[in-house]
Amino acid sequence: HGQLVESGGGTVQPGGSLTLSCVASGFNFRNLAMAWFRQAPGKEREFVAAINWSGALTNYADAVKGRFTISRDNDKSTMDLQMTGLIVEDTAVYHCAAESWNPTTARLTNPSQYDSWGQGTQVTVSS
């Protein structure tokens, strides 16, 4: 079974930027649709952004549209999430997720549609 490992989290002031990375191993990465989800304390895991196998299609939650950018490098089996204009409400544990049944789409926004998950990386936005 494959493994997903996130990195890049940390503490940043409101208005700041962070880039999260997800490294995949043990997968045929080009056969995966990928996504970022986040979970704040006491809240449900929520969709942030998704990208199809080629990177040509992306999809964002309304809360992050225009501030976050998802991308992937199939040669390196990595996926990034560039986050700018961070606000306190972005504070959460961010998880990368992979889905192998529908790699051509970026429209899967339900956590139950993804079959592999990373452990997560903490992002804290605080002054």
Side-chain angles (χ1 to χ4, degrees), residues 13-89:
Q13 292 186 339
S17 301
L18 279 176
T19 297
L20 306 183
S21 294
C22 174
V23 178
S25 59
F27 294 100
N28 185 341
F29 192 67
R30 286 176 172 80
N31 283 354
L32 301 176
M34 300 292 296
W36 289 97
F37 287 79
R38 66 187 182 186
Q39 189 163 18
K43 294 189 175 181
E44 298 282 322
R45 188 166 294 190
E46 67 172 355
F47 170 75
V48 175
I51 189 166
N52 78 328
W53 74 274
S54 68
L57 300 176
T58 58
N59 185 25
Y60 297 92
D62 287 343
V64 307
K65 204 169 292 184
R67 300 187 297 121
F68 291 10
T69 302
I70 189 171
S71 61
R72 66 189 292 163
D73 185 332
N74 284 346
D75 291 333
K76 296 180 180 178
S77 297
T78 59
M79 174 181 66
D80 286 348
L81 184 69
Q82 294 178 301
M83 306 186 294
T84 63
L86 284 161
I87 59 178
V88 172
E89 290 75 16

Side-chain angles (χ1 to χ4, degrees), residues 94-110:
Y94 285 69
H95 297 268
C96 68
E99 193 285 322
S100 59
W101 294 95
N102 296 285
T104 61
T105 185
R107 301 187 65 80
L108 302 178
T109 61
N110 192 315

